[in-house]
Amino acid sequence: MSSHHIVRDDQEPALIIANGAECSQELLGQLLEWSPIVIVLDSAMDRILDLNIKVDVLLGDFDRGFDPEYYKERQFPLEIVHTPNQDKTDLEKAFEYLIERKIPAVNVVWATGKRADHTITNITSIVQYRNNLKIVMLDDHSKIFLLPKRFEKWYPASTPISLIPIGNVSGIHSENLFYPLKNDTLTIGYRTGSSNHVLHDGIVIIEHDEGDLLLMECMD
């Protein structure tokens, strides 16, 4: 797979490659095409080398005898960021690295699949960065992002959409969904908005008053 283009002024989202299940090379290639910076979390680096991808940053706690210097000979230039703090995941530390660099948006791949605990933690970690970084998590079946208080987007009819609350979300209203929401409350573990879909070609509007609400654009 070819290396990514260099995009100046950080106008496009950065790309983080985590260490979960791989996505298709087609999706990965599309994201690499215009990413101004590509960050790989430490344990995924060997798989990245096998795909012949040029990356910019190798980040992680480098535990389990991991030697980041080994990769400097195979990826040049390569910034190595050692983040030994065990109170945060490597993905959270990558988000904070981008915030420090004042990069406003990031796409994340390889963050789902494999271990369920990692998948749940990665998806729910999005909410703590809502005010500092626009995060979109993607795999071959889903596009996941946190909703603002009012969200509008055009969708084709029958597009599968799931609304997943992180904790409790109240005052939810929707327009142009097959299962409408009218001043509803969703609570993780009790009631979610999974497996809804768009009613007609056109704008979907989703509003909520309180809480953190994830939207998942899904495909089978």
Side-chain angles (χ1 to χ4, degrees), residues 23-40:
C23 63
S24 67
Q25 292 198 16
E26 179 182 5
L27 173 59
L28 184 56
Q30 291 170 357
L31 296 172
L32 285 167
E33 188 73 15
W34 299 108
S35 294
I37 179 172
V38 177
I39 301 173
V40 175

Side-chain angles (χ1 to χ4, degrees), residues 67-209:
D67 180 13
E69 297 296 326
Y70 167 82
Y71 300 100
K72 279 189 172 180
E73 300 176 5
R74 291 154 181 80
Q75 292 269 339
F76 182 85
L78 177 66
E79 180 182 359
I80 293 177
V81 180
H82 183 211
T83 53
N85 182 2
Q86 294 297 313
D87 292 330
K88 293 182 179 291
T89 67
D90 285 343
L91 182 57
E92 290 170 334
K93 289 179 278 190
F95 291 152
E96 292 173 2
Y97 170 88
L98 291 173
I99 291 168
E100 286 183 10
R101 289 193 49 167
K102 301 187 185 306
I103 294 175
V106 62
N107 294 314
V108 184
V109 292
W110 297 16
T112 58
K114 285 191 165 184
R115 285 180 50 172
D117 56 342
H118 290 174
T119 296
I120 292 170
T121 299
N122 289 341
I123 292 173
T124 57
S125 70
I126 292 174
V127 301
Q128 63 182 301
Y129 301 103
R130 69 153 52 248
N131 297 322
N132 303 106
L133 187 64
K134 182 179 179 180
I135 301 167
V136 178
M137 198 166 288
L138 304 107
D139 58 31
D140 291 332
H141 305 285
S142 303
K143 178 180 180 182
I144 306 165
F145 53 94
L146 189 64
L147 291 183
K149 296 298 183 183
R150 180 180 173 89
F151 170 79
E152 297 185 30
K153 183 177 176 180
W154 190 96
Y155 288 99
S158 301
T159 300
I161 285 179
S162 290
L163 297 174
I164 307 299
I166 304 301
N168 186 77
V169 181
S170 60
I172 306 171
H173 297 265
S174 72
E175 296 181 24
N176 197 22
L177 291 182
F178 184 80
Y179 301 107
L181 296 151
K182 296 182 179 180
N183 198 29
D184 278 292
T185 296
L186 300 177
T187 304
I188 194 70
Y190 292 90
R191 183 189 179 211
T192 69
S194 182
S195 297
N196 209 330
H197 62 268
V198 178
L199 190 58
H200 305 291
D201 287 355
I203 297 291
V204 168
I205 299 174
I206 301 167
E207 298 178 284
H208 68 283
D209 293 334

